[in-house]
PDB file of all heavy atoms in Angstrom:
ATOM      1  N   SER A   1      -1.433  -9.366  -8.825  1.00  0.00           N
ATOM      2  CA  SER A   1      -1.571  -9.896 -10.179  1.00  0.00           C
ATOM      3  C   SER A   1      -1.215  -8.791 -11.160  1.00  0.00           C
ATOM      4  O   SER A   1      -0.543  -7.833 -10.809  1.00  0.00           O
ATOM      5  CB  SER A   1      -2.991 -10.420 -10.403  1.00  0.00           C
ATOM      6  OG  SER A   1      -3.923  -9.371 -10.252  1.00  0.00           O
ATOM      7  N   LYS A   2      -1.635  -8.905 -12.375  1.00  0.00           N
ATOM      8  CA  LYS A   2      -1.332  -7.955 -13.438  1.00  0.00           C
ATOM      9  C   LYS A   2       0.178  -7.821 -13.598  1.00  0.00           C
ATOM     10  O   LYS A   2       0.858  -8.776 -13.879  1.00  0.00           O
ATOM     11  CB  LYS A   2      -2.013  -6.627 -13.190  1.00  0.00           C
ATOM     12  CG  LYS A   2      -3.513  -6.817 -12.942  1.00  0.00           C
ATOM     13  CD  LYS A   2      -4.305  -5.619 -13.254  1.00  0.00           C
ATOM     14  CE  LYS A   2      -5.769  -5.786 -12.970  1.00  0.00           C
ATOM     15  NZ  LYS A   2      -6.203  -6.631 -11.924  1.00  0.00           N
ATOM     16  N   GLY A   3       0.743  -6.647 -13.412  1.00  0.00           N
ATOM     17  CA  GLY A   3       2.153  -6.402 -13.675  1.00  0.00           C
ATOM     18  C   GLY A   3       3.107  -7.238 -12.850  1.00  0.00           C
ATOM     19  O   GLY A   3       4.191  -7.576 -13.309  1.00  0.00           O
ATOM     20  N   LEU A   4       2.739  -7.575 -11.627  1.00  0.00           N
ATOM     21  CA  LEU A   4       3.641  -8.355 -10.786  1.00  0.00           C
ATOM     22  C   LEU A   4       3.585  -9.844 -11.098  1.00  0.00           C
ATOM     23  O   LEU A   4       4.448 -10.599 -10.665  1.00  0.00           O
ATOM     24  CB  LEU A   4       3.347  -8.104  -9.302  1.00  0.00           C
ATOM     25  CG  LEU A   4       3.569  -6.666  -8.842  1.00  0.00           C
ATOM     26  CD1 LEU A   4       3.242  -6.525  -7.367  1.00  0.00           C
ATOM     27  CD2 LEU A   4       4.987  -6.216  -9.112  1.00  0.00           C
ATOM     28  N   GLY A   5       2.560 -10.290 -11.806  1.00  0.00           N
ATOM     29  CA  GLY A   5       2.531 -11.646 -12.323  1.00  0.00           C
ATOM     30  C   GLY A   5       2.007 -12.738 -11.414  1.00  0.00           C
ATOM     31  O   GLY A   5       2.007 -13.897 -11.807  1.00  0.00           O
ATOM     32  N   ALA A   6       1.553 -12.421 -10.216  1.00  0.00           N
ATOM     33  CA  ALA A   6       0.979 -13.460  -9.358  1.00  0.00           C
ATOM     34  C   ALA A   6      -0.420 -13.807  -9.876  1.00  0.00           C
ATOM     35  O   ALA A   6      -1.085 -12.973 -10.482  1.00  0.00           O
ATOM     36  CB  ALA A   6       0.896 -12.971  -7.913  1.00  0.00           C
ATOM     37  N   PRO A   7      -0.874 -15.038  -9.668  1.00  0.00           N
ATOM     38  CA  PRO A   7      -2.199 -15.408 -10.169  1.00  0.00           C
ATOM     39  C   PRO A   7      -3.334 -14.634  -9.503  1.00  0.00           C
ATOM     40  O   PRO A   7      -4.376 -14.415 -10.103  1.00  0.00           O
ATOM     41  CB  PRO A   7      -2.308 -16.901  -9.881  1.00  0.00           C
ATOM     42  CG  PRO A   7      -1.244 -17.208  -8.894  1.00  0.00           C
ATOM     43  CD  PRO A   7      -0.183 -16.160  -9.030  1.00  0.00           C
ATOM     44  N   SER A   8      -3.128 -14.223  -8.280  1.00  0.00           N
ATOM     45  CA  SER A   8      -4.112 -13.402  -7.578  1.00  0.00           C
ATOM     46  C   SER A   8      -3.483 -12.914  -6.293  1.00  0.00           C
ATOM     47  O   SER A   8      -2.340 -13.236  -5.993  1.00  0.00           O
ATOM     48  CB  SER A   8      -5.398 -14.199  -7.279  1.00  0.00           C
ATOM     49  OG  SER A   8      -5.131 -15.214  -6.343  1.00  0.00           O
ATOM     50  N   GLY A   9      -4.240 -12.156  -5.539  1.00  0.00           N
ATOM     51  CA  GLY A   9      -3.768 -11.708  -4.243  1.00  0.00           C
ATOM     52  C   GLY A   9      -3.591 -10.209  -4.177  1.00  0.00           C
ATOM     53  O   GLY A   9      -3.366  -9.544  -5.187  1.00  0.00           O
ATOM     54  N   ALA A  10      -3.728  -9.697  -2.978  1.00  0.00           N
ATOM     55  CA  ALA A  10      -3.565  -8.275  -2.728  1.00  0.00           C
ATOM     56  C   ALA A  10      -3.268  -8.080  -1.250  1.00  0.00           C
ATOM     57  O   ALA A  10      -3.514  -8.984  -0.435  1.00  0.00           O
ATOM     58  CB  ALA A  10      -4.840  -7.519  -3.111  1.00  0.00           C
ATOM     59  N   VAL A  11      -2.740  -6.928  -0.920  1.00  0.00           N
ATOM     60  CA  VAL A  11      -2.536  -6.568   0.483  1.00  0.00           C
ATOM     61  C   VAL A  11      -3.182  -5.212   0.718  1.00  0.00           C
ATOM     62  O   VAL A  11      -3.345  -4.416  -0.210  1.00  0.00           O
ATOM     63  CB  VAL A  11      -1.044  -6.499   0.883  1.00  0.00           C
ATOM     64  CG1 VAL A  11      -0.412  -7.857   0.835  1.00  0.00           C
ATOM     65  CG2 VAL A  11      -0.287  -5.517   0.043  1.00  0.00           C
ATOM     66  N   LEU A  12      -3.524  -4.978   1.955  1.00  0.00           N
ATOM     67  CA  LEU A  12      -4.099  -3.715   2.375  1.00  0.00           C
ATOM     68  C   LEU A  12      -3.283  -3.225   3.555  1.00  0.00           C
ATOM     69  O   LEU A  12      -3.029  -3.983   4.493  1.00  0.00           O
ATOM     70  CB  LEU A  12      -5.567  -3.911   2.778  1.00  0.00           C
ATOM     71  CG  LEU A  12      -6.313  -2.685   3.281  1.00  0.00           C
ATOM     72  CD1 LEU A  12      -6.482  -1.680   2.140  1.00  0.00           C
ATOM     73  CD2 LEU A  12      -7.670  -3.077   3.838  1.00  0.00           C
ATOM     74  N   ALA A  13      -2.868  -1.981   3.509  1.00  0.00           N
ATOM     75  CA  ALA A  13      -2.083  -1.418   4.609  1.00  0.00           C
ATOM     76  C   ALA A  13      -2.721  -0.114   5.049  1.00  0.00           C
ATOM     77  O   ALA A  13      -3.273   0.628   4.246  1.00  0.00           O
ATOM     78  CB  ALA A  13      -0.649  -1.170   4.156  1.00  0.00           C
ATOM     79  N   GLY A  14      -2.638   0.126   6.334  1.00  0.00           N
ATOM     80  CA  GLY A  14      -3.166   1.351   6.914  1.00  0.00           C
ATOM     81  C   GLY A  14      -3.021   1.266   8.416  1.00  0.00           C
ATOM     82  O   GLY A  14      -2.326   0.380   8.938  1.00  0.00           O
ATOM     83  N   CYS A  15      -3.699   2.152   9.117  1.00  0.00           N
ATOM     84  CA  CYS A  15      -3.611   2.093  10.577  1.00  0.00           C
ATOM     85  C   CYS A  15      -4.294   0.809  11.077  1.00  0.00           C
ATOM     86  O   CYS A  15      -5.113   0.201  10.384  1.00  0.00           O
ATOM     87  CB  CYS A  15      -4.251   3.329  11.205  1.00  0.00           C
ATOM     88  SG  CYS A  15      -6.045   3.409  11.041  1.00  0.00           S
ATOM     89  N   ARG A  16      -3.934   0.381  12.257  1.00  0.00           N
ATOM     90  CA  ARG A  16      -4.432  -0.873  12.822  1.00  0.00           C
ATOM     91  C   ARG A  16      -5.959  -0.930  12.840  1.00  0.00           C
ATOM     92  O   ARG A  16      -6.553  -1.929  12.467  1.00  0.00           O
ATOM     93  CB  ARG A  16      -3.887  -1.076  14.236  1.00  0.00           C
ATOM     94  CG  ARG A  16      -4.327  -2.393  14.871  1.00  0.00           C
ATOM     95  CD  ARG A  16      -3.720  -2.602  16.248  1.00  0.00           C
ATOM     96  NE  ARG A  16      -2.277  -2.528  16.263  1.00  0.00           N
ATOM     97  CZ  ARG A  16      -1.463  -3.542  15.938  1.00  0.00           C
ATOM     98  NH1 ARG A  16      -1.955  -4.682  15.572  1.00  0.00           N
ATOM     99  NH2 ARG A  16      -0.155  -3.384  16.008  1.00  0.00           N
ATOM    100  N   GLU A  17      -6.610   0.171  13.211  1.00  0.00           N
ATOM    101  CA  GLU A  17      -8.071   0.188  13.290  1.00  0.00           C
ATOM    102  C   GLU A  17      -8.686  -0.012  11.897  1.00  0.00           C
ATOM    103  O   GLU A  17      -9.658  -0.756  11.740  1.00  0.00           O
ATOM    104  CB  GLU A  17      -8.574   1.510  13.887  1.00  0.00           C
ATOM    105  CG  GLU A  17      -8.170   1.753  15.334  1.00  0.00           C
ATOM    106  CD  GLU A  17      -6.727   2.245  15.478  1.00  0.00           C
ATOM    107  OE1 GLU A  17      -6.175   2.831  14.518  1.00  0.00           O
ATOM    108  OE2 GLU A  17      -6.143   2.022  16.559  1.00  0.00           O
ATOM    109  N   PHE A  18      -8.130   0.653  10.902  1.00  0.00           N
ATOM    110  CA  PHE A  18      -8.644   0.533   9.533  1.00  0.00           C
ATOM    111  C   PHE A  18      -8.497  -0.897   9.023  1.00  0.00           C
ATOM    112  O   PHE A  18      -9.438  -1.469   8.471  1.00  0.00           O
ATOM    113  CB  PHE A  18      -7.899   1.504   8.609  1.00  0.00           C
ATOM    114  CG  PHE A  18      -8.242   1.318   7.152  1.00  0.00           C
ATOM    115  CD1 PHE A  18      -9.446   1.785   6.640  1.00  0.00           C
ATOM    116  CD2 PHE A  18      -7.368   0.675   6.294  1.00  0.00           C
ATOM    117  CE1 PHE A  18      -9.769   1.610   5.300  1.00  0.00           C
ATOM    118  CE2 PHE A  18      -7.669   0.498   4.954  1.00  0.00           C
ATOM    119  CZ  PHE A  18      -8.874   0.954   4.459  1.00  0.00           C
ATOM    120  N   VAL A  19      -7.320  -1.484   9.197  1.00  0.00           N
ATOM    121  CA  VAL A  19      -7.073  -2.847   8.714  1.00  0.00           C
ATOM    122  C   VAL A  19      -7.953  -3.843   9.467  1.00  0.00           C
ATOM    123  O   VAL A  19      -8.518  -4.767   8.868  1.00  0.00           O
ATOM    124  CB  VAL A  19      -5.576  -3.209   8.818  1.00  0.00           C
ATOM    125  CG1 VAL A  19      -5.337  -4.681   8.501  1.00  0.00           C
ATOM    126  CG2 VAL A  19      -4.749  -2.324   7.889  1.00  0.00           C
ATOM    127  N   THR A  20      -8.140  -3.657  10.767  1.00  0.00           N
ATOM    128  CA  THR A  20      -9.011  -4.538  11.550  1.00  0.00           C
ATOM    129  C   THR A  20     -10.448  -4.461  11.040  1.00  0.00           C
ATOM    130  O   THR A  20     -11.111  -5.488  10.862  1.00  0.00           O
ATOM    131  CB  THR A  20      -8.965  -4.158  13.049  1.00  0.00           C
ATOM    132  OG1 THR A  20      -7.614  -4.304  13.505  1.00  0.00           O
ATOM    133  CG2 THR A  20      -9.885  -5.037  13.872  1.00  0.00           C
ATOM    134  N   GLU A  21     -10.934  -3.247  10.775  1.00  0.00           N
ATOM    135  CA  GLU A  21     -12.293  -3.080  10.243  1.00  0.00           C
ATOM    136  C   GLU A  21     -12.413  -3.727   8.857  1.00  0.00           C
ATOM    137  O   GLU A  21     -13.396  -4.425   8.562  1.00  0.00           O
ATOM    138  CB  GLU A  21     -12.670  -1.611  10.169  1.00  0.00           C
ATOM    139  CG  GLU A  21     -14.087  -1.395   9.663  1.00  0.00           C
ATOM    140  CD  GLU A  21     -14.463   0.075   9.571  1.00  0.00           C
ATOM    141  OE1 GLU A  21     -13.695   0.941  10.016  1.00  0.00           O
ATOM    142  OE2 GLU A  21     -15.550   0.347   9.024  1.00  0.00           O
ATOM    143  N   ALA A  22     -11.425  -3.504   8.002  1.00  0.00           N
ATOM    144  CA  ALA A  22     -11.448  -4.096   6.660  1.00  0.00           C
ATOM    145  C   ALA A  22     -11.442  -5.623   6.749  1.00  0.00           C
ATOM    146  O   ALA A  22     -12.139  -6.311   5.988  1.00  0.00           O
ATOM    147  CB  ALA A  22     -10.255  -3.607   5.847  1.00  0.00           C
ATOM    148  N   TRP A  23     -10.671  -6.180   7.664  1.00  0.00           N
ATOM    149  CA  TRP A  23     -10.607  -7.629   7.862  1.00  0.00           C
ATOM    150  C   TRP A  23     -11.990  -8.160   8.247  1.00  0.00           C
ATOM    151  O   TRP A  23     -12.453  -9.171   7.708  1.00  0.00           O
ATOM    152  CB  TRP A  23      -9.581  -7.945   8.956  1.00  0.00           C
ATOM    153  CG  TRP A  23      -9.405  -9.397   9.230  1.00  0.00           C
ATOM    154  CD1 TRP A  23     -10.020 -10.138  10.195  1.00  0.00           C
ATOM    155  CD2 TRP A  23      -8.566 -10.296   8.516  1.00  0.00           C
ATOM    156  NE1 TRP A  23      -9.612 -11.434  10.134  1.00  0.00           N
ATOM    157  CE2 TRP A  23      -8.711 -11.560   9.109  1.00  0.00           C
ATOM    158  CE3 TRP A  23      -7.700 -10.160   7.436  1.00  0.00           C
ATOM    159  CZ2 TRP A  23      -8.027 -12.681   8.651  1.00  0.00           C
ATOM    160  CZ3 TRP A  23      -7.020 -11.275   7.000  1.00  0.00           C
ATOM    161  CH2 TRP A  23      -7.189 -12.510   7.602  1.00  0.00           C
ATOM    162  N   CYS A  24     -12.668  -7.471   9.165  1.00  0.00           N
ATOM    163  CA  CYS A  24     -14.006  -7.893   9.600  1.00  0.00           C
ATOM    164  C   CYS A  24     -15.009  -7.805   8.455  1.00  0.00           C
ATOM    165  O   CYS A  24     -15.817  -8.721   8.250  1.00  0.00           O
ATOM    166  CB  CYS A  24     -14.468  -7.037  10.779  1.00  0.00           C
ATOM    167  SG  CYS A  24     -13.551  -7.347  12.293  1.00  0.00           S
ATOM    168  N   VAL A  25     -14.962  -6.718   7.697  1.00  0.00           N
ATOM    169  CA  VAL A  25     -15.880  -6.562   6.568  1.00  0.00           C
ATOM    170  C   VAL A  25     -15.634  -7.647   5.532  1.00  0.00           C
ATOM    171  O   VAL A  25     -16.567  -8.233   4.981  1.00  0.00           O
ATOM    172  CB  VAL A  25     -15.753  -5.147   5.942  1.00  0.00           C
ATOM    173  CG1 VAL A  25     -16.502  -5.060   4.631  1.00  0.00           C
ATOM    174  CG2 VAL A  25     -16.258  -4.093   6.919  1.00  0.00           C
TER     175      VAL A  25
END
């Protein structure tokens, strides 16, 4: 959102373990 203009949404990138933990949380 904001500068890119989408109504909402975000992505998270990192190592597989970090993204898996973030997904669970």
